[in-house]
């Protein structure tokens, strides 16, 4: 599911995951830094994940992608 930036701001998530294969993903992450009042931004939890890991229909790749998402949401479980 895709959310508009306005929806994300309204929901104020604890984590923002940006999945993209484009070159400008670092800039996308920097754009979120303008929203300092958001929980994810305050706590440095805006994370980039290669879209290949979660959008390709290959089982081994999807498992890697799910692991990356899990590490992003619950890093304490992977220490």
């Amino acid at each position: 599911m895709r959310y508009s930036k306005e929806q994300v701001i309204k929901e104020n998530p604890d984590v923002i995951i940006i999945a993209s294969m484009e070159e400008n993903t670092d800039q996308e992450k920097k754009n979120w830094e303008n929203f300092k009042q958001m929980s994810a931004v305050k706590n440095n939890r805006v994370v980039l994940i290669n879209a290949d890991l979660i959008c390709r229909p290959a089982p081994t790749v999807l498992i890697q992608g799910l692991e990356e998402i899990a590490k992003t949401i619950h890093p304490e479980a992977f220490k």
Side-chain angles (χ1 to χ4, degrees):
M1 173 182 274
R2 284 190 157 182
Y3 283 88
S4 69
K5 190 169 269 189
E6 292 79 15
Q7 287 172 303
V8 174
I9 293 167
K10 182 179 175 185
E11 293 292 326
N12 192 23
D14 292 330
V15 178
I16 296 173
I17 298 173
I18 302 168
S20 180
M21 291 184 287
E22 297 177 16
E23 299 286 326
N24 64 349
T25 52
D26 286 332
Q27 184 59 47
E28 180 66 26
K29 185 176 177 180
K30 287 179 185 176
N31 290 341
W32 282 105
E33 293 174 5
N34 294 323
F35 301 96
K36 296 180 187 319
Q37 74 282 6
M38 293 184 64
S39 181
V41 176
K42 273 193 244 183
N43 297 310
N44 196 29
R45 303 226 28 216
V46 178
V47 181
L48 301 173
I49 292 181
N50 184 333
D52 250 0
L53 292 176
I54 58 175
C55 296
R56 274 197 345 202
T60 55
V61 175
L62 282 174
I63 291 168
Q64 289 174 325
L66 288 172
E67 187 173 276
E68 288 299 312
I69 290 171
K71 285 178 183 177
T72 298
I73 296 172
H74 296 289
E76 70 282 357
F78 292 86
K79 290 184 178 182

